[in-house]
Amino acid sequence: MINETDMKHLGRCVELATKALETGNPPFGSVLVDETGAVRYEGHNLTADGDDTRHPEFAIARWAAANMTPDERAASTVYTSGEHCPMCAAAHGWVGLGRIVYASSSKQLSAWLDELHLTPPPVATLPINQVVPGLPTEGPFPALAEVIRELHRRYQNSQKRKNQPAE
Ligand SMILES: [Zn+2]
């Protein structure tokens, strides 16, 4: 079940995704919250520099491995604007993090990219539980997903403008 606290953290993820977009990165943002409710790490996508593995969920998994005990990790929740990709889901599973709450799903993202006539990503968009069986997950949430869809549309438009030859 999702409560007001969950919605607050998801709202922060959308803010971080917006910040990603504003700095030229694809719009994804994530937050790591521990058992006491404290935000321990937050970040957004940083792939604009050319390293396509710089996803916030991957950064969270590595930060958690370096800074939290296995028990702390298992009791934590990762909130994210878009469902983990297989790389990030695997990293999350390997370091033993807990529940994931996502605002929009990978299935929605695929449909949006399709609508925008974009080439699909090189990595399959699998549901988290196909990568990490049994992990508790919640999402997507329609009202937030609509906002994220708009961020993706804006990102794609900004990329198109960037790739247009100068006249
Ligand atoms: Zn990822």
Side-chain angles (χ1 to χ4, degrees):
M1 272 296 287
I2 184 148
N3 59 29
E4 231 170 86
T5 308
D6 292 327
M7 284 313 280
K8 185 190 82 182
H9 293 307
L10 283 177
R12 179 61 184 152
C13 292
V14 174
E15 272 177 25
L16 289 162
T18 307
K19 198 171 151 199
L21 174 72
E22 285 164 356
T23 51
N25 295 286
F28 296 97
S30 313
V31 175
L32 170 65
V33 178
D34 70 17
E35 197 179 11
T36 71
V39 173
R40 299 291 296 272
Y41 187 97
E42 60 173 35
H44 63 68
N45 181 294
L46 289 167
T47 60
D49 67 0
D51 179 351
D52 282 332
T53 69
R54 296 195 66 191
H55 299 182
E57 306 94 324
F58 194 48
I60 282 176
R62 304 200 72 188
W63 186 91
N67 295 284
M68 294 171 105
T69 66
D71 285 349
E72 281 180 310
R73 283 177 242 154
S76 294
T77 301
V78 173
Y79 295 88
T80 188
S81 63
E83 183 176 3
H84 287 43
C85 76
M87 170 184 76
C88 296
H92 184 104
W94 279 122
V95 305
L97 280 164
R99 173 174 172 248
I100 294 177
V101 183
Y102 54 89
S104 63
S105 69
S106 297
K107 196 175 160 195
Q108 287 175 318
L109 179 63
S110 303
W112 299 336
L113 296 180
D114 209 43
E115 272 169 34
L116 296 164
H117 305 291
L118 296 164
T119 33
V123 173
T125 45
L126 302 173
I128 291 165
N129 283 136
Q130 271 188 35
V131 182
V132 190
L135 184 79
T137 64
E138 290 187 68
F141 300 95
L144 288 173
E146 269 313 301
V147 176
I148 293 162
R149 179 177 189 264
E150 176 58 17
L151 293 179
H152 281 287
R153 198 191 57 76
R154 279 174 57 197
Y155 175 72
Q156 296 307 333
N157 284 345
S158 70
Q159 291 306 101
K160 257 183 254 162
R161 274 197 302 276
K162 206 171 81 182
N163 293 331
Q164 255 160 24
E167 301 201 14

